[in-house]
Amino acid sequence: MFDIERWQEIFDTIRKNKLRTFLTGLSVASGIFILVILLGFGQGMQNGIAKEFENDASNRIAVWTQVTTKAYKGLNPGRSIQMRNGNLNHIETRFSDQLEDRSGMFRVRNALVNYKKESVGYSVQGIHGGYQFIENQFISQGRYINYEDHRNVSKVAVISNTIKKEIFKDGTDPLGEYLDISGLKFKIVGVYGDMAGEREEERIFIPMSTAQRVFNGADRVNNLYFTLKPVENFEQAVAESMKFSKDMKSYLQEAHTVSPDDESAINVFNTLEEVKRFFNLITGIKMFFWFVGICTIIAGVVGVSNIMLIVVKERTREIGVRKALGAKPWSIVGMILHEAIFVTAISGFAGLIVSMGLLEIFGPYIEVDYILNPTVNFNVALTTVFVLIFAGAVAGFFPAWRAANIQVIDALRDE
């Protein structure tokens, strides 16, 4: 039942101690404010990391080679490792039950690309059809490189939206047009876009077999790319992806006579492994944010306890009079607790409203490196405020219990 006289007493007390109450309330409000803002930016970091990795397939695995750094089986360090078609075929056969998409890549060195009399400076790469899904590319016009192109060693090319804008400024339909690549004519059969944006659209793709055969590539492969079949949950996906990476690397090391502890010769980039590493880092950062926020809140709760002690001291005579007139100990406890809960609740909700408002207004416009749209779960923030109110009640209980145990005669003598 709402006791208007009790709340009037609370307001009177707050007015008498307005400076101390304001500072204590500010401390509590700032604790909630800091915690919510920090949690929001923790989520913003997670959003930013997720966006960085979503530009490619989430389970993408890339392989490239360099030179050996350790002697092994009588072979000196400094050997260049060159992957071959046979390596890709072996991996595809051995891990066929795990692979979803795969592609090799052969880079055409020093390719000269011309359209009619205009020269363009874009790289040319030979790939398999699965590369589209590995790189999360989409088709704007026509089609992508396919298996038949690879099998027939077709002289076809796929260009990007960016290249289309540069070469076909007059609005000419690029499909069916021919590019001159180092003196050979390649028919444009498709236009692609990349989810990562224009920075990934500076490449012209041709069939892998064509790139190797007509540009003296023999059976050499510069890079291997794979995606694995989806599984039930993230942890299982990471475990299977890491096992695949390890087994594949072991095979390539054995096939090219590379020391198992040579970390330079054969390199594997596993997107899921990197995602897990970043998420673990973000979890650690979030825990630190929680620690900082909770420490700030504790400081505010201690402030509530201190001001209640001061209130009890200043109202000692009043408490003595109340007890002399028959006030029960729990009514004295309730009087002090009401004030503690009131200060904590008002301050906590003020901090919550301001912080959530700032995140809602400015959060969608924040998009910097690895931080995107910082937000916080409202239920989590609200629960934190209620925990804070409970903590404030606990903090106020001890001064209240002290007040309830003051002897009447001692209270009336107090000056």
Side-chain angles (χ1 to χ4, degrees):
M1 184 175 178
F2 185 77
D3 189 342
I4 190 168
E5 292 183 359
R6 175 61 56 82
W7 286 107
Q8 184 62 48
E9 291 174 4
I10 293 174
F11 284 119
D12 290 340
T13 304
I14 290 174
R15 279 199 299 270
K16 293 176 184 177
N17 301 277
K18 57 184 178 181
L19 179 58
R20 286 194 295 263
T21 304
F22 172 76
L23 293 176
T24 302
L26 184 62
S27 177
V28 173
S30 65
I32 289 292
F33 178 85
I34 291 172
L35 177 60
V36 171
I37 293 296
L38 289 178
L39 291 179
F41 272 87
Q43 184 61 46
M45 293 176 65
Q46 185 168 325
N47 295 341
I49 295 297
K51 183 175 177 61
E52 288 294 320
F53 282 101
E54 75 179 6
N55 293 328
D56 297 321
S58 59
N59 58 355
R60 176 178 180 268
I61 298 169
V63 187
W64 70 98
T65 58
Q66 294 176 295
V67 298
T68 58
T69 58
K70 297 186 178 182
Y72 186 63
K73 291 186 177 181
L75 299 174
N76 293 326
R79 293 180 295 119
S80 294
I81 302 301
Q82 178 63 65
M83 293 185 290
R84 305 282 177 175
N85 287 340
N87 298 136
L88 176 60
N89 295 334
H90 177 88
I91 293 170
E92 184 178 16
T93 301
R94 178 177 172 182
F95 301 99
S96 59
D97 59 329
Q98 294 178 257
L99 295 177
E100 182 172 44
D101 294 300
R102 58 87 178 172
S103 176
M105 176 183 286
F106 177 76
R107 294 186 181 85
V108 180
R109 305 288 184 184
N110 304 315
L112 300 175
V113 183
N114 296 278
Y115 174 69
K116 296 181 179 179
K117 296 182 179 181
E118 185 175 357
S119 177
V120 292
Y122 293 105
S123 64
V124 178
Q125 299 174 353
I127 47 89
H128 294 92
Y131 191 72
Q132 175 189 352
F133 307 106
I134 295 171
E135 284 294 300
N136 207 7
Q137 296 170 344
F138 59 90
I139 293 297
S140 299
Q141 284 183 263
R143 63 175 179 83
Y144 205 74
I145 302 297
N146 59 33
Y147 174 76
E148 290 300 315
D149 296 328
H150 176 71
R151 188 172 68 87
N152 297 327
V153 196
S154 304
K155 292 186 179 65
V156 295
V158 176
I159 65 173
S160 69
N161 288 319
T162 300
I163 298 174
K164 173 187 172 182
K165 292 175 185 176
E166 179 175 336
I167 298 178
F168 301 97
K169 300 183 182 72
D170 58 357
T172 301
D173 187 350
L175 300 184
E177 296 292 314
Y178 285 85
L179 290 177
D180 184 304
I181 303 178
S182 296
L184 298 173
K185 297 293 184 182
F186 282 77
K187 183 180 180 180
I188 299 174
V189 295
V191 179
Y192 75 91
D194 197 296
M195 298 297 291
E198 293 186 358
R199 70 178 184 274
E200 296 292 331
E201 294 185 3
E202 298 185 352
R203 296 173 292 175
I204 298 171
F205 296 120
I206 62 177
M208 181 76 170
S209 60
T210 308
Q212 290 176 322
R213 184 171 300 183
V214 304
F215 295 107
N216 300 317
D219 65 342
R220 297 193 300 275
V221 179
N222 297 122
N223 297 79
L224 299 177
Y225 297 95
F226 306 96
T227 58
L228 303 184
K229 293 176 181 178
V231 293
E232 292 182 359
N233 58 67
F234 179 73
E235 292 299 328
Q236 183 183 350
V238 172
E240 291 192 6
S241 183
M242 291 177 65
K243 184 179 186 304
F244 169 78
S245 297
K246 181 180 178 181
D247 292 344
M248 177 185 60
K249 185 173 182 177
S250 296
Y251 154 69
L252 290 172
Q253 288 173 330
E254 181 180 350
H256 294 279
T257 320
V258 174
S259 171
D261 57 353
D262 190 333
E263 298 298 327
S264 175
I266 297 172
N267 302 274
V268 178
F269 178 84
N270 187 324
T271 305
L272 278 181
E273 190 173 352
E274 292 301 309
V275 170
K276 183 175 176 63
R277 185 176 294 118
F278 275 111
F279 280 4
N280 288 340
L281 174 62
I282 291 171
T283 300
I285 292 173
K286 283 184 174 180
M287 294 301 294
F288 175 73
F289 286 170
W290 271 104
F291 175 76
V292 172
I294 289 173
C295 286
T296 308
I297 290 173
I298 290 174
V301 171
V302 171
V304 171
S305 179
N306 289 336
I307 197 173
M308 290 301 105
L309 284 171
I310 294 171
V311 167
V312 169
K313 183 173 180 60
E314 292 181 347
R315 300 177 66 182
T316 300
R317 287 181 62 85
E318 177 191 339
I319 292 170
V321 171
R322 285 175 178 268
K323 295 188 72 174
L325 295 174
K328 301 297 183 183
W330 283 110
S331 68
I332 303 298
V333 171
M335 177 182 69
I336 304 300
L337 282 183
H338 272 111
E339 296 180 21
I341 292 172
F342 180 82
V343 171
T344 309
I346 293 298
S347 303
F349 281 111
L352 174 66
I353 292 169
V354 173
S355 57
M356 292 292 292
L358 287 176
L359 289 177
E360 286 295 321
I361 294 171
F362 298 106
Y365 301 100
I366 297 177
E367 188 171 352
V368 297
D369 290 343
Y370 297 107
I371 298 179
L372 174 66
N373 189 20
T375 57
V376 68
N377 187 304
F378 179 74
N379 291 331
V380 172
L382 188 61
T383 301
T384 304
V385 174
F386 282 115
V387 171
L388 171 65
I389 295 172
F390 175 77
V394 173
F397 175 78
F398 297 100
W401 185 251
R402 177 185 174 184
N405 286 280
I406 294 175
Q407 297 299 318
V408 174
I409 188 66
D410 293 331
L412 294 176
R413 287 175 181 172
D414 187 71
E415 296 294 337

